[in-house]
Amino acid sequence: MKIASWNVNSLNVRLPHLTRWLQEFAPDVVALQETKLEDARFPDDALAALGYRSVFAGQKTYNGVAILARTPPQDILAAIPGFEDPQKRVLAATLGEPGSPQALRIVNLYVVNGEAVGSDKYAYKLRWLAAVRDWLQEELRAHPRLVVLGDFNIAPDDRDVHDPKRWREKVLCSTPEREALRALLALGLHDSFRLHHQDGGHYSWWDYRLAAFERGWGLRIDLALVSDALRAQCVAAGIDLAPRTWERPSDHTPVWLELAS
DNA sequence: ATGGTTGGAGCCCAA
């Protein structure tokens, strides 16, 4: 079973890319971020024609998350419980019969970007991450077989940064952000990519400016985490660079993991 | 060189 995450940066613009990628990569589950679509405009019919059920939580212009799956997502939650937030950044769903031993819980996160260290948006990012930590603790209690994936807007360590000196203590790489990510991992979650690859130089996002992709100036900020209970089942993980080479691409490319069935 | 591109809205904001 292949489970993937992709920040599409406007599903309206990227539906042709998503369609092509679903056909070529054939994932079983996909978490999308930055759909930038109100729910009424979500292309669920087009995705159903490709064999995917969709659930989504969107808004106009900004943010927006969705989960696509070959089986119907259930027990959908589209907000962090107890955290007041108009921004549509989280979506959780259960695949398989809820409560059954093989049910899989998927949590899709579009983590706050944070703009710059010390800004109001950065403070919101850290508050948001603290609320997510408390929520995921509850999700793990209820659903031991948990996958948490999305655009984390945090490079876990310097192996995940093309030029660590240039990025030192900058937003996406600062120590408080990395500590907030470590607090999520400390709940009993594992970065699937690092279960299978130890070297640096693998990235999931490249700035549109300065031809960053062509120069290899990337960061690995899109992650797929698996819970303790799924760790042994996670047999592979990776980053699919192909969509970033297509014409008019998203600035992010899909990341994925594979669970043995 | 502290550079500039993209998407969506609507005459700038967010990334």
Side-chain angles (χ1 to χ4, degrees), chain A residues 46-72:
Chain A
L47 295 168
L50 297 165
Y52 293 90
R53 306 285 199 106
S54 307
V55 292
F56 36 89
Q59 64 187 92
K60 204 201 269 194
T61 314
Y62 303 120
N63 309 310
V65 283
I67 296 173
L68 317 184
R70 295 200 184 273
T71 58

Side-chain angles (χ1 to χ4, degrees), chain A residues 161-174 205 218-219:
Chain A
V161 181
H162 69 94
D163 184 351
K165 256 190 236 165
R166 175 198 174 110
W167 282 89
R168 202 177 97 84
E169 295 303 331
K170 296 280 197 283
V171 75
L172 314 185
C173 297
S174 73
W205 169 82
L219 268 62

Side-chain angles (χ1 to χ4, degrees), chain A residues 41-167:
Chain A
R41 295 182 55 215
F42 194 91
D44 47 344
D45 289 343
L47 295 168
L50 297 165
Y52 293 90
R53 306 285 199 106
S54 307
V55 292
F56 36 89
Q59 64 187 92
K60 204 201 269 194
T61 314
Y62 303 120
N63 309 310
V65 283
I67 296 173
L68 317 184
R70 295 200 184 273
T71 58
Q74 302 179 73
D75 285 354
I76 295 138
L77 183 59
I80 305 166
F83 185 79
E84 202 61 42
D85 190 357
Q87 301 193 15
K88 303 295 190 185
R89 296 181 170 277
V90 304
L91 188 60
T94 298
L95 302 176
E97 188 54 39
S100 76
Q102 62 275 35
L104 196 63
R105 184 71 166 170
I106 305 291
V107 174
N108 179 8
L109 300 180
Y110 174 42
V111 175
V112 176
N113 173 281
E115 190 186 25
V117 174
S119 68
D120 288 350
K121 287 173 190 165
Y122 183 80
Y124 164 52
K125 181 176 196 172
L126 296 180
R127 275 202 317 279
W128 189 94
L129 285 163
V132 164
R133 195 214 78 97
D134 292 347
W135 171 44
L136 289 181
Q137 188 161 45
E138 297 309 311
E139 286 283 338
L140 267 165
R141 280 202 189 110
H143 312 281
R145 288 165 49 82
L146 180 68
V147 175
V148 181
L149 75 176
D151 176 358
F152 281 70
N153 270 317
I154 302 170
D157 66 58
D158 281 351
R159 288 176 295 176
D160 305 309
V161 181
H162 69 94
D163 184 351
K165 256 190 236 165
R166 175 198 174 110
W167 282 89

Side-chain angles (χ1 to χ4, degrees), chain A residues 61 78 92 155 168 176 195 220 256:
Chain A
T61 314
R168 202 177 97 84
L195 293 178
R220 191 174 69 92
W256 58 270

